């Protein structure tokens, strides 16, 4: 019974020290400037649409700045390949979201009409460090979000019906 009691006491003391260490570490690092939420997490641009919308929400107490970029996206040799695109644009590319606010981000088709086949893009939204953020790299770590965007082709046209009946 004495040995079991000592192990239990050591275990309790270790948990207490762990809680103190976690509390100290939490107090040592500055709080993040905000918490960015994106909705929806996947976008599709239908043939009849010229644009689509993504909403960014800031659940934090400080303004949040972000940079949005759009890339063509493909898979090659088991990896992702991002490239430049001239078929879609993102607006605005630089934005600020007020504390507890929302910001609309639009993806706009640059060419009229739907593509012949489905095309895939990636929208990269990256938080920018706050102007008053400390210079410690750990404190200014940026979050990066990668959202798939698909532009859908127009449905295939039905073949023209033959005029009149054959075989008469």
């Amino acid at each position: 019974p004495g040995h079991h009691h000592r192990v239990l006491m050591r275990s309790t003391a270790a948990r207490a020290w762990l809680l103190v260490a976690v509390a100290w570490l939490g107090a040592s690092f500055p709080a993040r400037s905000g918490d960015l939420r994106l909705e929806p997490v996947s976008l599709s641009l239908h043939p009849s649409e010229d644009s689509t919308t993504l909403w960014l929400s800031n659940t934090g107490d400080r303004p949040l700045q972000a940079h949005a970029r759009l890339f063509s996206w493909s898979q090659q040799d088991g990896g992702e390949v991002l490239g430049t695109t001239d078929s879609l644009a993102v607006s605005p590319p630089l934005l600020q979201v007020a504390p507890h606010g929302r910001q609309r981000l639009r993806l706009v088709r640059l060419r009229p009409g739907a593509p012949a086949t489905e095309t895939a893009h990636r929208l990269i939204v990256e938080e920018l460090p706050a102007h008053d953020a400390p210079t410690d790299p750990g404190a200014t770590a940026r979050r990066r979000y990668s959202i798939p965007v698909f532009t859908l082709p127009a449905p295939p046209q039905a073949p023209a019906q033959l005029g009149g009946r054959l075989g008469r």
Side-chain angles (χ1 to χ4, degrees):
H3 174 71
H4 179 70
H5 181 69
R6 280 189 302 239
V7 170
L8 183 60
M9 289 297 288
R10 272 191 237 142
S11 171
T12 303
R15 279 187 278 220
W17 276 110
L18 181 62
L19 288 173
V20 168
V22 168
W24 179 80
L25 284 173
S28 297
F29 294 103
R32 293 190 54 80
S33 61
D35 195 5
L36 183 62
R37 302 277 187 242
L38 285 73
E39 185 182 350
V41 295
S42 176
L43 295 168
S44 294
L45 191 61
H46 296 274
S48 61
E49 298 175 315
D50 291 328
S51 67
T52 189
T53 298
L54 176 78
W55 288 97
L56 286 73
S57 300
N58 178 1
T59 60
D61 295 328
R62 298 179 65 190
L64 188 139
Q65 295 179 338
H67 182 219
R69 295 173 291 161
L70 197 58
F71 297 93
S72 65
W73 172 45
S74 62
Q75 301 278 327
Q76 184 177 356
D77 299 326
E80 289 188 343
V81 177
L82 299 178
T84 59
T85 183
D86 60 358
S87 60
L88 293 177
V90 61
S91 177
L94 293 172
L95 51 118
Q96 182 167 325
V97 186
H100 304 283
R102 284 177 42 151
Q103 170 72 41
R104 178 179 167 175
L105 192 64
R106 290 185 61 210
L107 279 66
V108 180
R109 191 185 308 267
L110 296 177
R111 297 182 188 151
T117 60
E118 179 181 277
T119 59
H121 297 81
R122 277 282 179 180
L123 174 64
I124 307 294
V125 178
E126 190 171 30
E127 287 184 44
L128 299 175
H131 293 298
D132 58 351
T135 56
D136 174 18
T140 59
R142 297 188 264 179
R143 291 185 188 178
R144 184 177 182 189
Y145 303 86
S146 180
I147 306 291
V149 179
F150 300 98
T151 54
L152 305 176
Q157 298 292 324
Q161 296 201 348
L162 298 174
R165 293 189 174 182
L166 296 177
R168 273 196 153 177

